Structures are given as C-alpha cells and as structure tokens.
Amino acid sequence: MKVKSAVLERMGAAPPYGQSRPLVVQELELDPPGPGEVLVRVAAAGLCHSDLSVINGDRPRPTPMALGHEAAGIVEELGPGVDDLARGDHVVMVFVPSCGHCVACAEGRPALCEPGAAANGAGTLLSGARRLHRSGGDVHHHLGVSAFAEYATVSRRSLVRIDPELPLDEAALFGCAVLTGVGAVVNTGRVPAGASVAVIGLGGVGLCSLLAAIAAGAREVVAIDLADDKLAFARQLGAGATFSARDPDCIEQVREATGGGVEFAIEMAGSVRALELAYGITRRGGTTITAGLPPPSGTMALSPVSLVAEERTLKGSYIGTCVPVRDIPRYIQLYRSGRLPVDRLLSERIRLEEINEGFDRLHEGKAIRQIVLF
Ligand SMILES: [Zn+2]
Ligand SMILES: [Zn+2]
C-alpha cells in the first residue's frame, strides 16, 4: 500500500531544520505484514530527542530512514502466525523489539535484546526485512517502528496492547518518554519512598522522571536545567527546589541545599557536563543514573576513590530498564488514577508536514512533547 511518511534523506543537516528540511514527507510503498508482523494504523507519534540525534548524526543510522519511534495506533492487519492480537486492538509501539529467546530476554531484560539491537542498528524489522520501498530502493526502518507515517508494518514484538479507553495521542508518550523516564526511577533506581532525588535535564523524558520520583514518594525532588522556563515548569509539576545548571557553582549550591547531595541523581540531558553535574551532586552511598545519551565520542573523568570510599554507584538506564508488557499497562494505570500526570507534558499537536519546524522547536528547547496526529 501507499503511505505518506517522513524520511530522513541524510544525517548532519544544519538547523534551522525549517530551512534545511532534513525530513522529506513523501509517499512510500509499504509491504503487508510478513510472518510475526502486524500492520498498524498510526494515530499519533511523538517528536523525541532520539530522532534529533539521528537527524544531527549523534546516533549514526543508515539512510534513507523513515523516522519516528514513539507512537500508538490501531491494529489493522495481522501477518501469518500472529494469534494474540486482533484487528482494532489499540497498541503502543516499543522501540526495541524483544525476540524472547536471547540471553538478555531470558534474563528478563528485553530492553537489552541482542537480535533487537542488531535489527535496530541495521534499520530493519526484527525479521531482518525492510517493508518500506520507493523507486530506487529500500528505505530503512527507525528502531523497528518508523511511525512518522500513516501506517507502519512492525514486528509483533514491537507492540504492547493497551486499554482502548486511553486517548491515542496520550498513549504515544508511553512508548518512549514515559517508559524511559519513569523506568529510570522505578526500575533502574528502585527509588524507595522517602528518598531524595535530583533530575538533570527537563525534556519530556526528564520530566517523566520527575513525576515518577514524586509518585514514588521521594521526600525531596530537585530539578536542574539550563533553561529558566523549564525550571519554572518543573516547580509547577511539583519539584521542591530548582537550580540553574548555568550557575558555575551549581554543584555546591545543590550539595549545600540537600545536606551533602541527593541519594539519586538522574541525568537526562545527554551531555557529559550534565553527567558530571549529576555525579557531583550525588551524596556518599548514593546512585547516579544516566539515560541521556551524550554523543558517542564523549568521555568522562571519574575518581575511582569516590566510587570505593563513598560506595557510590553509577548506572546506565536504557528504555528505563523496562519490561514493556509489564510496565506500559502499569504506568497507564498510574496515569489514569491521577498519580502520573504525563498529559501535562504534551505541548503541541502538529501535522506531519510541520515536522521539520517541530524539530526546530525541540532543538531550541521551546517544546516539551509535540505529537504528530494522523
Ligand atoms: Zn525517544
Ligand atoms: Zn532477545
């Protein structure tokens, strides 16, 4: 079938993207689902920093690539062998498909699925297939999803069925921002009630961590960013104290205000400087969590003495250490009961044709979570 899709022709275009137009909305040929695959009618897809990292080349991927990895939609057609979904089911897409058989999957860590990571790196579905074509060749899939499109053919293993009562524009957030941000707190950090928590980097993912820390019963929630308007928004969402990362003595300020640092510092900004700040404000015995993905060339200086003598922990968190089929329905229930108000992060609803301008807003820090509606 023919579908309208936003395709990244090559990486490294210079902003403003409204002028350089790295994403070209065009008609592609989409194959029907093969064995173990599903055709989904995409209802809503979010603009995420991980898309931006492919556009600017920080996360190199093969091009041309149909972007978009945070989405929700409705099952349209089932491929051979898919017998646990039905046409009309509402689904959230998950941007690492899990094979269910590799060592990581067997250990209950599907976010680290090895065939899933290999397929994502190659720009294929889990089966190895590319289901998107145009005259001149195949178009790569982005993280097994490619959801900036009216329809997507994806692996069954990229989907989680959800409660159909949830509006699909809200549901899309649960595929990346909520899964990553909430999971960093409750899965990676296992933050207990009464803990002190700081979040560094207040984009969509970081603000989900902030909301999760509050929901988890943290006694103290600190928010840190470069932008004053984001700090103000964090206070509206319930942050108890905010600090500007532009202040050269930000680390000293936080340590002073928190009696020696926080027990959990969560880096969601994607820069080495932010990670160093996070480590600097973690107290003795505390845990620093990083999920922000600085550019691959980045390195960090770390004193091993502090790790040992202060029993510090530094942990990476990928997609919130998630088990999607367990976590997405749980987080949706928390949202629907009012304890995780992630709808407050939805800043704009846009059309597919406005997507380059949308990435300008994201790049400039002027939007939290924008959603393309189909
Ligand atoms: Zn994302
Ligand atoms: Zn696996």
Side-chain angles (χ1 to χ4, degrees), residues 69-363:
H69 64 279
E70 177 185 86
I74 299 172
V75 171
E76 184 83 10
E77 186 185 335
L78 301 173
V82 179
D83 53 14
D84 59 344
L85 283 177
R87 191 162 189 270
D89 278 350
H90 288 203
V91 287
V92 167
M93 302 195 187
V94 178
F95 63 87
V96 175
S98 49
C99 73
H101 307 295
C102 72
V103 171
C105 284
E107 284 183 327
R109 304 180 76 179
L112 300 181
C113 175
E114 288 157 23
N120 281 356
T124 67
L125 299 185
L126 186 61
S127 63
R130 290 186 188 85
R131 301 291 180 207
L132 290 164
H133 320 281
R134 63 185 183 186
S135 65
D138 293 344
V139 174
H140 297 88
H141 295 266
H142 186 209
L143 302 177
V145 174
S146 291
F148 294 144
E150 299 163 304
Y151 289 87
T153 293
V154 303
S155 168
R156 164 69 185 93
R157 302 245 170 209
S158 298
L159 298 175
V160 171
R161 181 172 43 204
I162 58 160
D163 181 344
E165 302 263 300
L166 184 69
L168 286 164
D169 53 346
E170 295 168 10
L173 295 176
F174 287 81
C176 178
V178 178
L179 202 54
T180 306
V182 177
V185 173
V186 303
N187 291 334
T188 316
R190 299 195 168 279
V191 171
S196 64
V197 179
V199 179
I200 299 94
L202 304 174
V205 178
L207 289 170
C208 283
S209 294
L210 183 100
L211 293 173
I214 296 167
R219 73 176 189 281
E220 184 170 44
V221 180
V222 172
I224 302 170
D225 200 279
L226 292 163
D228 291 336
D229 55 341
K230 290 196 174 165
L231 296 175
F233 188 51
R235 284 193 293 274
Q236 286 175 26
L237 291 177
T242 58
F243 296 88
S244 172
R246 284 199 316 272
D247 286 346
D249 63 343
C250 181
I251 291 178
E252 290 71 32
Q253 287 180 31
V254 177
R255 293 185 71 90
E256 163 107 36
T258 56
V262 294
E263 286 142 25
F264 295 88
I266 303 173
E267 181 278 314
M268 291 297 189
S271 75
V272 172
R273 210 179 127 230
L275 179 53
E276 286 172 341
L277 196 161
Y279 194 77
I281 63 169
T282 306
R283 69 177 296 112
R284 287 167 66 81
T287 300
T288 311
I289 294 168
T290 177
L293 282 173
S297 58
T299 57
M300 176 193 181
L302 188 69
S303 149
V305 172
S306 64
L307 276 177
V308 176
E310 298 181 4
E311 285 209 345
R312 301 273 291 272
T313 304
L314 176 58
K315 291 181 100 170
S317 177
Y318 190 53
I319 332 182
T321 318
C322 67
V323 178
V325 73
R326 174 195 69 189
D327 294 342
I328 289 176
R330 284 185 183 177
Y331 300 161
I332 288 174
Q333 261 189 299
L334 274 175
Y335 166 59
R336 301 199 69 192
S337 68
R339 282 173 288 173
L340 198 65
V342 295
D343 56 329
R344 295 182 65 185
L345 310 184
L346 266 176
S347 50
E348 280 99 4
R349 291 166 173 84
I350 65 174
R351 293 179 303 116
L352 187 60
E353 286 72 17
E354 302 167 90
I355 196 157
N356 287 298
E357 288 76 10
F359 278 111
D360 277 327
R361 282 191 288 274
L362 188 66
H363 172 69

